[in-house]
Amino acid sequence: MGWTLGRYFFFRYVTITIWFFIGLLALVFLIDFTELSGRTTGLPGFTYGTAFAISGLRMPMIMLQTVPFVGLFSAMATLVSLNRRYELVIARSAGVSAWQFLLPCCIGALLFGVLSVGVINPIAAHAFSWSEKIETQLRSGKSNTVSADAEPWIRQKTSSGDTIIGARAILNQGLEMADAVFFVLNPQGDIVERKGAAHAFLRDGYWELQDVKVFRDGNIQSVASDRVLTNLKPEFVQERLARPETIPFYDLPGKIEVARSFGLKANAFAMQFDSLVALPFLLVAMTLIAATVSMRFARMGQSATMILGGVLAGFLLYVVTVLVKAFGVAGFVPTVVAAWVPVVVAMFFGVTFLLYKEDG
């Protein structure tokens, strides 16, 4: 296949991918903005501009989750459109094999994955953290109640006793908490003091509390600031509290190395890193799956059953990827295996099917 035809197929795939991405972005933004506005309309200080900013900052993170489906649908749309305009028929009659005109689409999918990991992911991590801060400020003071399943609780041990720590919102990759509570225990394990803080910051050797209400011996005392001693290291707190999605791709190797130097497994961070490394190849696998149902020429258009089968196959691959990822985070399988097995299996399936149909 000549350079001109290959470049045409490549830019056709890129154009359709961009339009799919923009269309899905607009749809997701409208849904998120509507849902967020409904939840926060009654809060003091709410404005539609604030809700617009929060939803806008969330978009890179949400769109990063949809990248595999964008890759699948754009590949299917590209091949179907080429078929309907008889361009694949003409290419085949000129001696161009399926592998040759699939190569530009696979290269486009690989570059789309690299762009998602190298550019969209760092932007998404920082933007999502920023959106959490804005939403926390909007909700500040509305509730100082922490539910048992809202955020993970941690228990720290110091020479003065144990302290159980929880918060309504975890910010700054786990180093800042909003609407935090600290239950101070005596050596016998009884709660002797409760401190509720609007904000808590992890410093070197202590937690800095701001706007604090101290409950002790049936009395309530309000103080502007307070301290709670701790021997927790930032890496431990980040590994326990921070969401792996909020850590930029380029920072993950350092976080994993430091966390493991403290004896932590860091499976969540390692799974996130390996999944991002495998993402470009997952998009290539999605392209091969799309090719299995989109390249057959049909005089009256593509078979709806075949297209539906491709969508279901892509969705099944995504579900399996998420399921195996959960096993990797739990430590049942190595994170590298959990990240790459679904990709390799999907690639083998696509290549085998195409070899059977095209060259068999």
Side-chain angles (χ1 to χ4, degrees), residues 241-305:
L241 298 182
R243 294 175 55 183
E245 296 83 2
T246 61
I247 307 295
F249 172 75
Y250 303 108
D251 296 340
L252 281 171
K255 300 290 185 184
I256 295 170
E257 182 179 356
V258 173
R260 286 176 175 171
S261 68
F262 283 94
L264 304 175
K265 294 182 178 180
N267 284 337
F269 290 165
M271 190 69 248
Q272 175 70 4
F273 178 76
D274 292 328
S275 297
L276 289 175
V277 172
L279 179 60
F281 301 94
L282 177 63
L283 294 184
V284 175
M286 287 289 191
T287 302
L288 294 177
I289 290 177
T292 61
V293 299
S294 305
M295 288 200 312
R296 178 180 298 177
F297 175 73
R299 188 179 301 274
M300 300 303 294
Q302 293 300 120
S303 170
T305 304

Side-chain angles (χ1 to χ4, degrees), residues 76-246:
M76 292 178 64
T78 300
L79 296 173
V80 168
S81 65
L82 292 175
N83 244 337
R84 287 184 174 178
R85 296 172 63 175
Y86 301 98
E87 290 168 318
L88 289 188
V89 177
I90 297 173
R92 291 190 182 198
S93 65
V96 179
S97 71
W99 304 105
Q100 288 177 302
F101 56 72
L102 271 181
L103 181 61
C105 294
C106 290
I107 293 176
L110 189 67
L111 293 178
F112 180 40
V114 172
L115 181 68
S116 300
V117 174
V119 178
I120 298 179
N121 173 263
I123 294 175
H126 293 297
F128 190 78
S129 297
W130 197 2
S131 72
E132 285 186 322
K133 289 185 179 180
I134 297 176
E135 186 174 1
T136 299
Q137 292 175 357
L138 185 63
R139 296 176 178 274
S140 179
K142 287 297 293 181
S143 174
N144 202 36
T145 303
V146 182
S147 62
D149 57 352
E151 293 291 345
W153 292 75
I154 59 176
R155 181 167 181 160
Q156 67 173 29
K157 296 179 179 292
T158 61
S159 57
S160 58
D162 296 358
T163 304
I164 300 176
I165 306 170
R168 183 179 59 80
I170 306 298
L171 308 173
N172 193 20
Q173 301 177 6
L175 303 182
E176 178 183 349
M177 296 186 291
D179 292 341
V181 291
F182 291 74
F183 293 100
V184 181
L185 282 63
N186 60 17
Q188 289 73 37
D190 300 323
I191 298 177
V192 295
E193 189 177 48
R194 179 189 186 274
K195 297 182 179 181
H199 295 279
F201 304 89
L202 180 60
R203 308 300 188 191
D204 186 13
Y206 64 94
W207 289 94
E208 179 184 344
L209 312 184
Q210 296 180 354
D211 191 10
V212 189
K213 291 184 178 180
V214 182
F215 299 82
R216 185 181 180 89
D217 298 330
N219 299 317
I220 302 177
Q221 180 183 3
S222 298
V223 295
S225 62
D226 197 1
R227 290 186 177 187
V228 176
L229 296 179
T230 183
N231 53 13
L232 297 178
K233 299 297 182 181
E235 292 77 16
F236 175 82
V237 176
Q238 287 178 333
E239 203 275 338
R240 290 296 304 274
L241 298 182
R243 294 175 55 183
E245 296 83 2
T246 61

